[in-house]
Amino acid sequence: MAIASINPVTGEVLKTFEPLTDQELEYKLALADRAFATYKHSSFRDRAQWINQAADILESKKTEFGIIMTIEMGKTLKSAIAEIEKCANLCRFYAEHAPQFLADTPAITDASRTLIRYQPMGIILAVMPWNFPFWQVFRFAVPCLMAGNVGLLKHASNVPQCALAIAEIFHAAGVPEGAFQTLLIGADRVANLVADSRVKAATLTGSEPAGQSLAAIAGHHLKKVVLELGGSDPFIVLKSADLDLAVSTAVTARVMNNGQTCIAAKRFIVEEAIADRFIAKFVEKFKALKVGDPMQPETDVGPLATPQILNELDLQVKATVDLGAKVLVGGYRLKEKGNFYAPTILADIPLGAPPYQEEFFGPVASVFRVKNIDEAIALANSTSFGLGASFWSNDQQEIETAIEQIEAGAVFVNGMVKSDPRVPFGGIKRSGFGRELGLEGIREFVNIKTIWIK
Ligand code: NAP
């Protein structure tokens, strides 16, 4: 894919970028390697100061950074600004808590003194997606830098201006030269980087094929990997739930970020007793969504990021309808210029149709009716994904059952799935492995060294 900013509202090519030459890439790798030799000795105090400074920069220019995201990938400007604020919070969280997360931990053994120390590993490569162009990178970069590692970012090829802006933020915040760099390269250059002995580990957020490819190479070279891949999160609503709150949350959980969120609710699994009422309210709210220019404050849903994503979504909907599903609202691409797709609800979905197994990366909700909690959980668990799950009920026994039995990296009860710096984030099954955020996230890329003193 060419490295370019293309406005998803107009299709206009705003700016193109030349990928790094092999020599330029080598220069950056060598710089990162040299930077680690000194950066690993920096104090938590200095690191926290740089990261807090990055938070200040984010906050002071949140609209400017938000606009870059909106013009490159189409998220609404209001959500882009909120994303910048979330990145700033993440910076402040790790600036405050990393020293405690990585402090020596004593243990009791047969030695006179035993402890666990968390030491940085070196250069960590991050391959990142375009859907949360700042958040995805910050949630990697901030714990990476606070732990004393250095980071190399290979961002998605359609958000190069975001990638460059992020590197500039860390530079302006005082992060030492070479400790965080953006590499403008295509996906075809990742394999060699992972193989390079100076790169110690890698993380990828993106699609299954990309994750498989990176993990295979990392496996060959015996390097640690964290993968955050796709999802088809269930949103289960049982009859004791607060229906109005469940419906309004369901809408947000499906269409946030124009429907292009890994943890978006994608399959709405509703108990038969309340299904008609849920669906009627859900359809009404979908009809009221305002689709349009993501720069306008009244817009709820902007364009999809690329024409390929639009085409793929359209094909998935058509295939589902051809198999006999009903379209309750939407079901078509919008005629005007740009990558717009109408907010869509599908129901009566025949077994084996795409929503049962595939991720729909756009504003398309699939509704399923079930008899009871057992059927709901069985359906929720029937995909190959296992990222998040939202469960709605006011019955304590049902809540306990759902928490215990749902196969996912996170279960949110009576709320929508979201990421939060204070708690770990990640999936199971084909949604990936390893964790970001929280204490667990910052400990993914460190040498957990056992120290035993007789
Ligand atoms: P993608 O095509 O896999 O791209 C993600 C990144 O991987 C980009 O930087 C891309 O570079 C690179 N890439 C693609 N193929 C590669 C390969 N064979 N080897 C190495 N790198 C490769 O994914 P996407 O379409 O941008 O993102 C959507 C997917 O990401 C969805 O499935 C979504 O659910 C998932 N996602 C998951 C999370 C999570 O936390 N679990 C968060 C957000 C998104 P180029 O752009 O240069 O191709």
Side-chain angles (χ1 to χ4, degrees):
M1 203 200 286
I3 301 176
S5 308
I6 301 173
N7 188 336
V9 175
T10 60
E12 185 193 352
V13 179
L14 302 171
K15 219 167 175 179
T16 57
F17 295 81
E18 278 304 308
L20 296 178
T21 63
D22 287 343
Q23 288 80 357
E24 286 166 335
L25 186 55
E26 170 52 34
Y27 174 83
K28 284 181 175 268
L29 253 174
L31 179 64
D33 199 38
R34 282 199 305 279
F36 178 63
T38 47
Y39 187 76
K40 66 181 174 189
H41 298 302
S42 59
S43 65
F44 278 126
R45 205 161 150 256
D46 284 346
R47 293 176 202 160
Q49 197 185 327
W50 299 322
I51 295 302
N52 278 325
Q53 181 65 24
D56 291 346
I57 296 171
L58 285 164
E59 280 163 349
S60 66
K61 294 186 177 177
K62 61 185 176 188
T63 306
E64 185 184 312
F65 296 137
I67 289 171
I68 303 177
M69 280 193 262
T70 299
I71 61 167
E72 285 196 316
M73 53 67 67
K75 71 170 61 209
T76 59
L77 181 57
K78 62 189 175 209
S79 66
I81 292 171
E83 182 172 333
I84 298 294
E85 289 166 348
K86 190 169 172 176
C87 292
N89 284 341
L90 168 98
C91 291
R92 299 203 193 287
F93 173 78
Y94 273 116
E96 182 182 348
H97 294 284
Q100 155 211 338
F101 289 160
L102 299 176
D104 285 354
T105 310
I108 295 172
T109 69
D110 55 338
S112 64
R113 193 168 164 233
T114 308
L115 53 104
I116 300 145
R117 180 160 294 173
Y118 305 94
Q119 293 183 315
M121 296 172 70
I123 301 177
I124 315 295
L125 172 69
V127 181
M128 289 289 141
W130 45 266
N131 62 342
F132 290 89
F134 271 62
W135 170 249
Q136 303 288 2
V137 175
F138 272 81
R139 81 179 184 187
F140 151 72
V142 170
C144 165
L145 291 168
M146 283 307 299
N149 291 309
V150 303
L152 288 177
L153 166 67
K154 180 265 176 281
H155 215 328
S157 293
N158 57 331
V159 288
Q161 296 192 60
C162 291
L164 293 170
I166 292 167
E168 183 47 38
I169 290 167
F170 286 122
H171 173 71
V175 170
E177 201 194 0
F180 184 87
Q181 300 178 79
T182 279
L183 310 173
L184 289 185
I185 53 171
D188 57 337
R189 313 273 290 282
V190 169
N192 280 349
L193 273 176
V194 175
D196 191 291
S197 61
R198 291 166 290 186
V199 173
K200 302 300 182 215
T203 179
L204 181 142
T205 300
S207 61
E208 273 185 67
Q212 284 173 309
S213 157
L214 182 124
I217 297 150
H220 183 75
H221 295 277
L222 297 176
K223 292 185 186 176
K224 172 128 188 213
V225 180
V226 168
L227 295 180
E228 302 283 4
L229 307 178
S232 185
D233 283 6
F235 188 104
I236 299 172
V237 189
L238 300 186
K239 60 175 183 286
S240 66
D242 176 338
L243 194 63
D244 286 332
L245 185 60
V247 174
S248 55
T249 309
V251 177
T252 309
R254 179 55 285 207
V255 304
M256 63 176 174
N257 211 34
N258 308 338
Q260 305 157 117
T261 306
C262 53
I263 48 167
K266 289 165 189 146
R267 296 175 298 138
F268 297 83
I269 301 171
V270 189
E271 193 165 8
E272 187 63 63
I274 50 156
D276 286 342
R277 281 193 294 143
F278 177 91
I279 290 170
K281 288 171 191 272
F282 199 34
V283 169
E284 191 191 340
K285 287 198 183 293
F286 257 57
K287 281 186 178 156
L289 288 169
K290 202 164 166 11
V291 182
D293 181 353
M295 288 291 184
Q296 299 308 318
E298 66 274 14
T299 298
D300 298 306
V301 182
L304 298 173
T306 66
Q308 292 78 1
I309 293 159
L310 176 66
N311 288 338
E312 194 176 322
L313 186 71
D314 196 32
L315 286 174
Q316 287 174 306
V317 172
K318 285 192 172 123
T320 308
V321 172
D322 285 350
L323 287 168
K326 259 197 211 138
V327 177
L328 302 184
V329 56
Y332 50 88
R333 53 170 80 193
L334 297 175
K335 296 273 179 296
E336 65 234 47
K337 254 197 317 198
N339 313 325
F340 291 96
Y341 199 84
T344 296
I345 300 178
L346 302 172
D348 297 347
I349 299 161
L351 198 63
Y356 277 90
Q357 282 306 328
E358 295 175 17
E359 177 179 32
F360 280 48
F361 221 50
V364 177
S366 299
V367 180
F368 303 83
R369 291 166 184 259
V370 288
K371 285 204 193 74
N372 52 37
I373 184 172
D374 295 333
E375 261 192 42
I377 293 176
L379 180 55
N381 289 344
S382 68
T383 72
S384 57
F385 298 111
L387 199 50
S390 179
F391 181 79
W392 292 75
S393 166
N394 279 309
D395 178 311
Q396 205 50 43
Q397 186 56 46
E398 285 178 347
I399 291 172
E400 286 306 321
T401 303
I403 291 170
E404 196 53 35
Q405 295 184 7
I406 290 177
E407 295 166 1
V411 177
F412 279 62
V413 178
N414 297 328
M416 65 184 253
V417 180
K418 58 187 182 199
S419 57
D420 179 325
R422 295 166 292 190
V423 285
F425 180 93
I428 58 168
K429 295 159 80 176
R430 294 182 75 87
S431 292
F433 45 78
R435 291 293 179 264
E436 293 187 288
L437 302 177
L439 173 146
E440 292 77 4
I442 199 170
R443 288 191 183 167
E444 285 286 4
F445 294 123
V446 288
N447 173 19
I448 301 176
K449 186 184 270 182
T450 297
I451 299 166
W452 187 98
I453 303 165
K454 192 171 164 57

